[in-house]
Structure formats: C-alpha cells, structure tokens
Amino acid sequence: MRIARAHALQIQSMGGELRLTSATARQWYKGKLDPRLVMFLSKLGKWTQPDSAATTLAGMVGITHERALEEISRLERAELVIRETPEMIALTKAQHIWGQAGWAAAFEYQVASDSAERLDYTNQTGQQQDVGLMHQQRRLGPPAPSHYLDLLHHPASSLPQPRSTLSVDYGEVFRAANDQQPPAGVAPMQRLSDLLYYSFGQTGSKRLPVSGTHVMKTSPSGGSRHPTEAYVILFAENSQGSVSHYSVRNHALEPLGKEVSQQWVDDHILEKPEWITGPLSMMIILTSVAERNMHRYRENFTYRPLHHDVGHVIETTNLVAHSLGYTTLAGYSLMDNAVSELLGNPRISEPSMGFIAVRESKSWS
C-alpha cells in the first residue's frame, strides 16, 4: 500500500522547541525536527511505494534503507505519513480540488476542525461531559466575556424607546420590499430605534444552570451567546455618514467620532454599488466577538456557529427592515482590512463578517 505525507502539515512551537504535526494528528512526532526530514516530507506529496520513499530518505539523510523504513514507520505512527486507504484517497482528492480553487487554507481549517475530538450529544454521557467541561471552564479558565460590547470611551447617544409592536402581519413582511409603505406617523429616529432593537437588541434574559444569565434576542444563537455585533453608518441627506456602534446594553448608539462618504462605502463594503439605486439610509456592518462562543463550546468544529449566527441576524434584519418600509441588500464580501481600520476592532478576535445596506423602498425614495 502506497504512502504520502499527511494533509496540512504544520510546524508549531511547544515549550521553546519546534515540533512537526499535521492538522489531523492528535500526537507529536517524537524526535528532533531535522530540516532534511521536512524536505523529505515535502517531496512525498504524491502516493509513493514505501521502498521508493525509503530509498529517497536514505539518500537525503545518509542512513541505511532499513533504518529509513523504520523512520517512515515512526512518521506513520505520528500521523505525518498516511497510507493509501479509500478515506485518505478521497481526502487527497478533495485537497487537490480545494487547492486548485485557491481554498488551500480553508481546506486546512476544514480538516483540522473535522478531526478534532467532539462530544457525543446523542447520549447522556456526552451531555454530562459537556456540563462537566463548563464547570471546569468556570473554575479554572478565565472569566467568560461580557454579553455586551461596551465602548466606554465613546459616550452613548440614546435612541427612542422601541415600539412594543411593529403592527405588520407576516404577509406584509414577506411581500417585496418595494411595495411596503413606511409606517404612518412614525418619526425617522423611531424607525431607526425599532430597526436596531428588533434586529439586534435585547428582548429579555434567561438563566442557564451552569453559565448563568444570558441575553435573549429575536434571532436564535448557539449556546445563547449572541456573538454578532452591529456597527451603523447613518447617512443624512447629501452628507457624510456618521459611524456608531449599537449598544445592546443601553439600546443606544455609541458614536466612534468618524465619518465616511457613500463613495467610501461603495468602494470598501458594497464593492458592487450598481446593485443599489439611490442614496443609502444606512450601512450596517456585522462583526463577531468570537470569544463569547469559546466559553460555551470547546470544540474547534463549533467555530461554525459564528457564521450561522450572522446568517440568522441578517435574515431577521431584512424582515424587520422590510416591515418598516426599507429595502435591504446583504452580503459578506466587504474589505475587512479597511473596515477594521474604520471601526477600530481587532480583526482576529472580532472579525468583520458581513453587511446590510439599508435604504428607503424604491416606491418611497
């Protein structure tokens, strides 16, 4: 059976020394990280007979053929070298397809998260382990991050209290936004307040057995963590857009003291301004405070709920906006370097995840 190097090899630092591992390995290669070994693995990118691989390794390192075979066996046990099984053949084919599409880094993440050990929630034992890990996290780990992102150095600008109901039935909400009339007699700031509250605001709270009090919102969230945050660029007529963060705790806007033009939004967020006709009322940027989910889920695989959360929030916002007489365009392809610089948020721990462009419905603009 032929062999090849494992998928997504990584060199990591551990205790001051470099170690070699693969994305799927659950153990380290026990041995000195010789550059010649790394070079050998780099050459083992295609399925190769073990004898042929041993001949290559022996010539590179200056050892006997038998010794090279022993070293290859040790690399197999460390999961740095794989055998040509049906599973690995399929995985290697996927790696090739993803790599050709420019998705090599995404493939490495997918393989690593998919191979991470997970709890089995289909039985009571898995649920007990989950609760035990949550207790351990609270006892030994750092304190859980706040459910609120408070920008304390930016004074909040209060919004009107949201109306208790939007008085729109489901049939109206699901009609084309172009046909939806703005609510009669509702001031612009009240509409803004309603939009932000019913899209992102705290509608209540609940207490869970281990992790304590959690906020409740109109969108579902894995583990009730609600990692998605909203930043709002408000455009007045023929003026620059003012940038603020929406405070869930206070139902208020926290101005960042920055302004941008709609041209800047077109260039760095929309990227396809031709998709929207007429001036924007606002641009909502969604970020994700990833650490909130870490304190509920310890498996790498559950990084995915961050994306699920954003999808839920976007669809909720679309429906709320339509009920208020707005039309929306949502997307994910914003230029996060420029957006992060504008918002001042750390790109890794609070990445930009998507946007919702909001304007008056075409019939009413």
Side-chain angles (χ1 to χ4, degrees):
M1 188 179 294
R2 295 184 299 177
I3 60 173
R5 70 167 180 267
H7 305 94
L9 293 182
Q10 304 167 355
I11 296 177
Q12 299 181 5
S13 176
M14 180 70 67
E17 66 179 10
L18 294 178
R19 294 184 177 182
L20 190 63
T21 186
S22 73
T24 58
R26 297 190 179 95
Q27 55 186 316
W28 295 99
Y29 169 73
K30 306 296 191 300
K32 182 180 178 182
L33 185 56
D34 191 319
R36 294 173 296 177
L37 176 64
V38 177
M39 182 64 69
F40 165 69
L41 288 171
S42 72
K43 293 179 177 293
L44 206 59
K46 297 181 179 179
W47 296 114
T48 307
Q49 292 294 342
D51 267 346
S52 177
T55 299
T56 300
L57 179 60
M60 292 177 65
V61 181
I63 55 178
T64 65
H65 188 81
E66 292 71 18
R67 178 72 183 83
L69 284 172
E70 292 176 4
E71 188 65 20
I72 289 173
S73 295
R74 197 150 69 101
L75 292 171
E76 277 194 74
R77 291 193 294 274
E79 301 176 57
L80 297 177
V81 167
I82 55 177
R83 289 274 172 174
E84 193 180 18
T85 63
E87 178 185 5
M88 291 302 171
I89 291 172
L91 196 59
T92 300
K93 181 180 179 180
Q95 182 183 37
H96 177 71
I97 293 171
W98 287 47
Q100 279 191 320
W103 280 30
F107 176 83
E108 290 189 16
Y109 165 73
Q110 179 79 349
V111 170
S113 62
D114 186 63
S115 64
E117 293 189 50
R118 306 177 209 168
L119 298 179
D120 183 359
Y121 293 99
T122 63
N123 59 64
Q124 192 64 31
T125 301
Q127 295 172 9
Q128 291 171 349
Q129 286 179 304
D130 183 33
V131 172
L133 285 169
M134 281 195 286
H135 278 298
Q136 182 181 3
Q137 180 80 26
R138 291 195 66 183
R139 188 174 66 254
L140 303 177
S146 172
H147 294 292
Y148 306 104
L149 180 61
D150 298 316
L151 304 185
L152 300 178
H153 53 294
H154 295 286
S157 176
S158 297
L159 291 165
Q161 284 297 308
R163 291 179 294 156
S164 59
T165 175
L166 300 183
S167 302
V168 180
D169 64 34
Y170 289 115
E172 290 180 274
V173 172
F174 284 102
R175 286 193 307 165
N178 294 349
D179 299 328
Q180 183 61 47
Q181 182 176 356
V186 178
M189 286 302 292
Q190 184 65 61
R191 286 174 74 201
L192 174 63
S193 174
D194 292 345
L195 174 61
L196 295 178
Y197 176 76
Y198 286 106
S199 299
F200 314 106
Q202 179 175 348
T203 57
S205 63
K206 64 179 178 180
R207 187 166 182 81
L208 298 179
V210 182
S211 49
T213 302
H214 293 251
V215 303
M216 296 175 66
K217 299 184 180 182
T218 55
S219 295
S221 177
S224 295
R225 293 294 162 162
H226 296 287
T228 306
E229 292 287 330
Y231 293 79
V232 185
I233 303 175
L234 284 175
F235 290 96
E237 189 174 352
N238 299 321
S239 72
Q240 297 277 91
S242 59
V243 187
S244 300
H245 169 254
Y246 173 66
S247 169
V248 174
R249 186 195 298 273
N250 301 313
H251 182 58
L253 289 176
E254 297 171 317
L256 303 188
K258 297 182 179 180
E259 292 186 341
V260 292
S261 65
Q262 183 162 332
Q263 184 64 53
W264 189 95
V265 169
D266 289 347
D267 293 342
H268 298 93
I269 300 178
L270 277 175
E271 296 187 310
K272 293 285 186 179
E274 62 270 22
W275 288 351
I276 290 184
T277 57
L280 289 176
S281 299
M282 70 190 82
M283 171 62 76
I284 301 173
I285 302 169
L286 303 178
T287 68
S288 186
V289 182
E291 190 183 1
R292 289 181 192 159
N293 277 40
M294 298 174 196
H295 282 258
R296 172 61 185 88
Y297 301 108
R298 284 144 297 279
E299 299 142 316
N300 285 282
F301 192 74
T302 47
Y303 181 83
R304 291 180 173 187
L306 298 180
H307 296 273
H308 299 162
D309 199 274
V310 169
H312 287 143
V313 169
I314 283 178
E315 186 56 25
T316 296
T317 306
N318 286 338
L319 295 175
V320 173
H322 294 175
S323 75
L324 292 168
Y326 294 112
T327 185
T328 59
L329 173 69
Y332 304 93
S333 57
L334 43 70
M335 300 179 66
D336 59 346
N337 278 326
V339 169
S340 179
E341 183 177 352
L342 174 69
L343 303 181
N345 62 309
R347 287 185 59 240
I348 300 301
S349 56
E350 191 195 340
S352 301
M353 304 288 282
F355 67 84
I356 308 165
V358 182
R359 61 179 295 270
E360 298 290 341
S361 293
K362 292 177 183 177
S363 300
W364 304 96
S365 59

